[in-house]
Amino acid sequence: MAKVLVVTSGKGGVGKTTSTAALGAALAQMGQNVAVVDFDVGLRNLDLVMGAERRVVYDVVNVIQGEAKLAQALIRDKRLDNLALLPASQTRDKDALTEDGVARVIDELRQKFDWIICDSPAGIERGATLAMRHADVAVVVTNPEVSSVRDSDRIIGLLDSKTLRAERGERMEKHLLITRYDRIRAERGDMLKTDDVLEILSIPLLGIVPESQDVLRASNIGQPVTVSGPDSPAGRAYAEAARRLKGEALPVSVPGERAGFFGKLFGRRAA
Amino acid sequence: MNIFSIFNRRASAPVARERLQVLLAHERASIGQTDLVAVLREEILAVIAKHVSVEPDNLRIRMERGDQMSTLEVEVDIPKAARVRLALTG
C-alpha cells in the first residue's frame, strides 16, 4: 500500500528540500517506486536540488486545474528510473492549490507509487497545511537550535490536529530528523544535543544528518546526496533513515568525530 | 581573554534547553487553551440564544491559567429590548 510522507519543519532553511530529495532517492535506490512532490508554490526548488530544473514543462497547479495530465507533469529522474518529481508552479501563488485538487492528485499518485513524498513550504499557512493534509507519515526536520525546535513543536501540534488522519482519530506517525548536527559543538556544550531535542519534542528519532560539505556539494551539482556521495556521512545518514522508514530497526549512530580531551578544553576559545 | 575565562564560560546549550522547556510548556498550554475558549464560546452562545438573542460580539470569554487555580470569565452584554422580554417571560 502506498504511503504518503510529508517533510515539514515550520522554520525555513533547515533542510526540508534537501531531505526530501535525499530520502526520495534513497528509497528509490532500495527499489521502491517514489514520487517527490514540491508543495512550495511560487518558490519551487526541489527541481533545482534534483537537477531537473530544465526539464519542467507542467507542474502540480497545471494538473490540479486540468491543464495537464499527471503523467505529463511527472519528471522521471535521469539516474533512478523509479524516482519521479512533480514540480511546483513558479508563477502562481499558493491559493492555486485547492483542497479538492490536492486530494485528487494524491489519490492518483497513490495508484502509481509506493511512496509519495511531499516537500512542505516553510510556515504554517495554507501551503504547509495542504502538504501535510493527506500524510500517513511525517518527517519533522529540525536543526539543533532554539528557533527550529520551537517551530517543530508547533508543527507537531498541527500534525496532530489538522491532518486527515488526526481528524479521523487515527495515529499520525511522526519522526524526527535532525540536520546540520555538529558533534564537536554539541559535545562542547555549544549546541543542543540530540537527547535534548528528543526530550523536548518527544517523537522518535529517524536519523542525524551532520552539517557537511557533501550536502552543499550535492545541491550545487543537482544530485541528491545519497546519489552524489553515498559513502559520505550525510549520504549514509539519509540512506539509513530511509531504511528505518521502511521499518528496519537500525540503531541511530551520531555521525562525526568526537571532540578529544584537548578539543573540549581548548576548542571553546575558537568557537 | 585570560586562561580562567576559558574554563569559566558556561556552555550555552543547557541555557537553550532550559529556555525551550519553559517556553514550550507555556505555549503548548496556551495553544490548547485557544481551542478550548473557542469551543466554550460557541456552546455558551448556543445556550444563551435559546432564551435571549445576543450578538456574538457581545459575548467575551477569557481564561487565565495559574498554577493553583484557573479562572474562566464570561461577560455577556444583553441589549435593552431583550432584557425587557426576559423580565416579562421570567
Side-chain angles (χ1 to χ4, degrees):
Chain A
M1 227 189 57
K3 270 201 173 174
V4 179
L5 184 153
V6 62
V7 178
T8 185
S9 70
K11 190 175 184 297
V14 297
K16 282 182 297 296
T17 303
T18 310
S19 298
T20 302
L23 290 173
L27 284 164
Q29 285 165 307
M30 289 159 64
Q32 301 279 294
N33 264 321
V34 183
V36 289
V37 185
D38 193 346
F39 271 82
D40 206 346
V41 173
L43 291 170
R44 76 168 174 229
N45 273 321
L46 188 55
D47 56 334
L48 192 55
V49 167
M50 296 187 62
E53 70 277 12
R54 287 159 52 146
R55 297 165 63 209
V56 177
V57 182
Y58 295 110
D59 57 59
V60 64
V61 172
N62 294 134
V63 179
I64 284 177
Q65 302 195 335
E67 297 152 359
K69 293 215 163 65
L70 179 62
Q72 292 175 289
L74 284 170
I75 304 169
R76 193 178 293 273
D77 189 83
K78 276 191 202 148
R79 300 154 296 249
L80 296 162
D81 257 7
N82 46 347
L83 176 63
L85 161 72
L86 181 57
S89 168
Q90 181 69 341
T91 49
R92 316 289 251 283
D93 67 34
K94 60 188 187 314
D95 295 331
L97 291 179
T98 60
E99 172 122 24
D100 288 351
V102 171
R104 262 187 292 118
V105 171
I106 298 280
D107 277 345
E108 208 178 332
L109 288 167
R110 273 186 197 268
Q111 313 299 317
K112 298 184 178 166
F113 295 94
D114 303 316
W115 292 88
I116 297 110
I117 306 186
C118 306
D119 183 19
S120 172
I124 53 171
E125 310 282 308
R126 189 183 165 77
T129 47
L130 275 176
M132 68 169 68
R133 185 87 185 132
H134 301 270
D136 305 304
V137 187
V139 170
V140 179
V141 182
T142 307
N143 292 166
E145 173 272 324
V146 285
S147 52
S148 174
V149 175
R150 180 198 209 173
D151 292 357
S152 293
D153 190 75
R154 189 75 200 281
I155 279 291
I156 292 170
L158 292 180
L159 287 166
D160 285 332
S161 61
K162 304 279 184 206
T163 52
L164 279 177
R165 265 186 178 257
E167 286 173 8
R168 290 195 298 250
E170 293 167 12
R171 199 176 72 91
M172 181 79 205
E173 197 185 308
K174 299 177 291 289
H175 301 277
L176 180 68
L177 184 68
I178 297 183
T179 54
R180 302 202 148 156
Y181 192 72
D182 183 331
R183 183 172 185 168
I184 292 178
R185 279 190 181 163
E187 286 182 356
R188 224 191 264 149
D190 287 332
M191 181 185 260
L192 285 168
K193 286 189 176 183
T194 305
D195 287 345
D196 296 336
V197 182
L198 276 174
E199 191 190 324
I200 292 167
L201 296 178
S202 42
I203 58 172
L205 182 63
L206 183 71
I208 308 167
V209 181
E211 168 85 75
S212 102
Q213 264 321 103
D214 304 304
V215 176
L216 184 61
R217 184 175 172 274
S219 57
N220 283 346
I221 62 174
Q223 289 189 9
V225 69
T226 52
V227 175
S228 67
D231 296 322
S232 66
R236 275 208 305 271
Y238 279 117
E240 285 179 11
R243 285 168 64 189
R244 287 183 202 104
L245 281 175
K246 280 263 292 159
E248 267 185 64
L250 284 174
V252 180
S253 57
V254 183
E257 284 173 30
R258 300 187 78 99
F261 175 73
F262 287 102
K264 276 186 186 168
L265 210 54
F266 298 109
R268 283 185 191 178
R269 194 165 23 178
Chain B
M1 180 186 274
N2 63 32
I3 188 84
F4 294 107
S5 64
I6 296 171
F7 294 104
N8 285 340
R9 208 185 93 182
R10 194 180 167 196
S12 60
V15 182
R17 182 191 141 109
E18 271 172 43
R19 289 177 59 220
L20 272 170
Q21 279 171 332
V22 170
L23 174 74
L24 292 181
H26 177 76
E27 284 189 347
R28 284 170 190 156
S30 63
I31 286 166
Q33 180 178 326
T34 337
D35 287 341
L36 176 63
V37 168
V39 171
L40 282 173
R41 193 188 150 78
E42 242 169 68
E43 295 192 1
I44 290 172
L45 261 177
V47 169
I48 296 177
K50 280 188 199 167
H51 308 282
V52 194
S53 79
V54 174
E55 289 294 315
D57 289 348
N58 291 341
L59 173 72
R60 285 173 296 276
I61 298 188
R62 247 163 54 97
M63 184 179 254
E64 262 177 43
R65 289 214 176 151
D67 290 338
Q68 303 295 319
M69 193 180 65
S70 300
T71 56
L72 177 70
E73 199 180 305
V74 181
E75 196 184 333
V76 195
D77 294 344
I78 297 175
K80 218 173 182 181
R83 212 182 307 153
V84 173
R85 198 151 28 95
L86 188 68
L88 287 175
T89 54

